[in-house]
Amino acid sequence: MKASTALISRRRAVQLAAATLLPSRALTAMAQTDFPSRAVRIVVPFPAGGNSDVIARTIAQRLTQAWNQPVVVDNKPGADTVIATSDVARAAPDGHTILMNISLIVQNTVTKEKLPFDTFRELRPLIAATETPMYFVAGQAGSERPTSLDEFLKIGKARPGLLTFGSFGMGSTGHLLLLALQRAATVDITHVPFKGNSDVIIQLLNGQITSSFLPYSAIAPHLAGGKIRILAATGETRPTIAPGVPTFEELGIKGFTASQWNGFFVSTRTPKTAMDRLTRDFDTAIKSAEVSTRLNALGLTPVGGTPEQFQKMIDRDFELIRTAIKSGQYKPE
C-alpha cells in the first residue's frame, strides 16, 4: 500500500477529532474516585536496560513514592512497538495502563499497511518525557576519515556510490533525516536498514557503513577510539552534553530541528480527572532534581509540560514524513 500526504492528513484529522471526544457517563463516574486506586502499569515496547526502559523505571519510582501505589514497568518488545501499543489500546481506559513510546508510534501509522488498532483514535499524548538531538556521525569513507560535515559531503559528491548510511529501519527518524540531508545537500547516500542501533554501531566501527544519525547515548562509549566522529547535531542550539558539535543550522543546512523523544500515551477515553492528575504528577516527576539528574547523565533533556506541547512534537514528526513523501524520496509499501 502506498502512503501519501492525503493519507497522513486524514489520519491527523481523525487524531484531532478524537481528542475532543467526551468520556461516557460510566467513565465520568469512574473519574470521581481517587486516582490512582490501584497499581499503575507502564508498558515499554523495548527490552529492559535500554534508554526507554531506564527512563520509565526512573519516573515510575518517583511516582510510586508520590502516589503510595506501585507503578510497575512492563516490557513488551517486538513488532516495531506494535505489541506494546496494542496492549495499551486494549486495556481499560481508566488511566492505570500507560504506554511509553518513541516516534515509531507516528511512523507506524504510515509505514504499516495494517495495525491492530487505530493509533490516534484510541490513544492520546499524555506528556513528553525526554528529547535528545540526533547526531550525524561518520566513520571510514573509503581511504578517508572525514572530520567535518563539509568534508563528508565533498567525499560523497566526488565519489558517487561510496557513502552509506545505517538506520534502525525504513521510516525511522534516522532514515527520514537522511532523506532530508540528501535533499538539502544534493548528495547520494545509500541507505542500509538494520534491526537496531547496536547493529548500526557495530557496522560503523567495522567500516561496513560510513554514517548514521544516532542518539548520544549510543555513540558516547565509542568516541574515544576515534573510529567514529560526530559531524553535526539536530536542534536549534548546540547540545549541552556536546557543546563542541555544531548544529546543521550553524552549518547552513536548514530544517534539522527534529529530535528523538520518549513520551507517554493513554487511552483517548481516559477520564479528565485521571488525565489531569497524570499530567500534573508526571510533569512534577520528570522535572524533579532526582529524575532530571538521572536523565541528564544519559544525555537526555527532560521535557514534561502538557499534552498540547507533546502534540506539537508529534506534529513535527508527521511533517517530516509528509515532506519525505511529497519529495518522492520515501515510498512506504
Side-chain angles (χ1 to χ4, degrees), residues 115-265:
L115 291 169
F117 45 80
D118 190 333
T119 307
F120 290 110
R121 185 175 179 82
E122 298 181 47
L123 298 172
R124 65 181 297 178
L126 172 64
I127 196 167
T130 66
E131 67 176 340
T132 180
M134 292 292 279
Y135 294 83
F136 185 70
V137 299
Q140 191 76 21
S143 60
E144 301 179 69
R145 195 177 293 277
T147 60
S148 69
L149 182 62
D150 184 59
E151 285 182 17
F152 179 86
L153 296 176
K154 284 181 177 178
I155 291 171
K157 292 177 180 180
R159 301 180 61 184
L162 173 66
L163 299 182
T164 53
F165 176 93
S167 81
F168 59 85
M170 294 289 292
S172 64
T173 299
H175 180 212
L176 294 171
L177 287 171
L178 166 67
L179 297 179
L181 179 60
Q182 291 187 123
R183 289 195 306 274
T186 60
V187 64
D188 179 47
I189 306 174
T190 302
H191 177 232
V192 184
F194 292 92
K195 292 183 178 180
N197 284 341
S198 59
D199 293 331
V200 174
I201 287 289
I202 291 171
Q203 297 307 316
L204 267 172
L205 294 173
N206 291 342
Q208 299 302 306
I209 57 174
T210 59
S211 63
S212 184
F213 273 102
L214 292 166
Y216 189 80
S217 59
I219 56 180
H222 310 285
L223 294 175
K227 289 188 175 182
I228 58 175
R229 181 185 294 266
I230 303 175
L231 304 186
T234 64
E236 297 179 356
T237 59
R238 290 195 176 197
T240 55
I241 200 167
V245 177
T247 66
F248 282 91
E249 297 285 323
E250 283 183 70
L251 299 174
I253 301 179
K254 305 299 181 182
F256 283 78
T257 58
S259 62
Q260 185 176 68
W261 50 259
N262 282 271
F264 295 96
F265 298 80

